[in-house]
């Protein structure tokens, strides 16, 4: 029984790590050009658009962040092609950027 539980725990940890790695790749592909690799918004486009620094402040709910990623807001385009799991992983990734 303990072996089965151990195997399940390993599968969960490995799969959650893979999802996090995928979120990092999604961030690099879709978000970093404006928001910066570190989430500071310290990029040419980020400065031009007045991006918020996510390393300092994240005054939005997970649901609000997911909605903006999926549907866009202001000058940010919508990423409707992302699955709900990808959006959830991106929101979790953004939360790791705050220092």
């Amino acid at each position: 029984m303990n072996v089965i539980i151990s195997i399940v725990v390993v599968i969960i940890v490995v799969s959650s790590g893979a999802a996090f790695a995928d979120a990092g790749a999604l961030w690099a592909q879709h978000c970093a050009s404006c928001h910066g690799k570190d989430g500071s918004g310290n990029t040419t486009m980020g400065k031009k658009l007045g991006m918020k620094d996510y390393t300092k402040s994240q005054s939005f709910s997970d649901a609000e962040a997911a909605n903006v990623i999926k549907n866009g807001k202001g000058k940010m385009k919508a990423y409707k092609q992302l699955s709900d799991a990808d959006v959830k992983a991106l929101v979790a990734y953004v939360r790791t950027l705050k220092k």
Side-chain angles (χ1 to χ4, degrees):
M1 184 68 172
N2 286 341
V3 173
I4 294 172
I5 293 172
S6 297
I7 291 170
V8 170
V9 169
V10 168
I11 291 170
I12 291 169
V13 169
V14 169
S15 64
S16 65
F20 188 77
D22 291 343
L26 287 169
W27 179 267
Q29 180 181 3
H30 298 292
C31 313
S33 62
C34 293
H35 293 285
K37 287 181 181 180
D38 63 353
S40 68
N42 191 21
T43 66
T44 302
M45 188 58 72
K47 290 176 186 175
K48 181 178 178 182
L49 297 173
M51 292 288 117
K52 293 180 182 173
D53 184 347
Y54 294 145
T55 66
K56 295 181 181 175
S57 175
Q58 297 184 7
S59 58
F60 49 84
S61 70
D62 289 358
E64 290 169 324
N67 182 54
V68 171
I69 292 167
K70 201 74 166 167
N71 299 307
K73 182 177 179 181
K75 295 188 180 195
M76 182 171 155
K77 71 177 190 170
Y79 288 95
K80 293 187 182 289
Q81 77 277 16
L82 295 177
S83 69
D84 289 343
D86 286 344
V87 171
K88 186 176 180 178
L90 273 171
V91 172
Y93 185 82
V94 168
R95 296 297 188 203
T96 69
L97 300 173
K98 189 171 180 185
K99 297 178 181 174

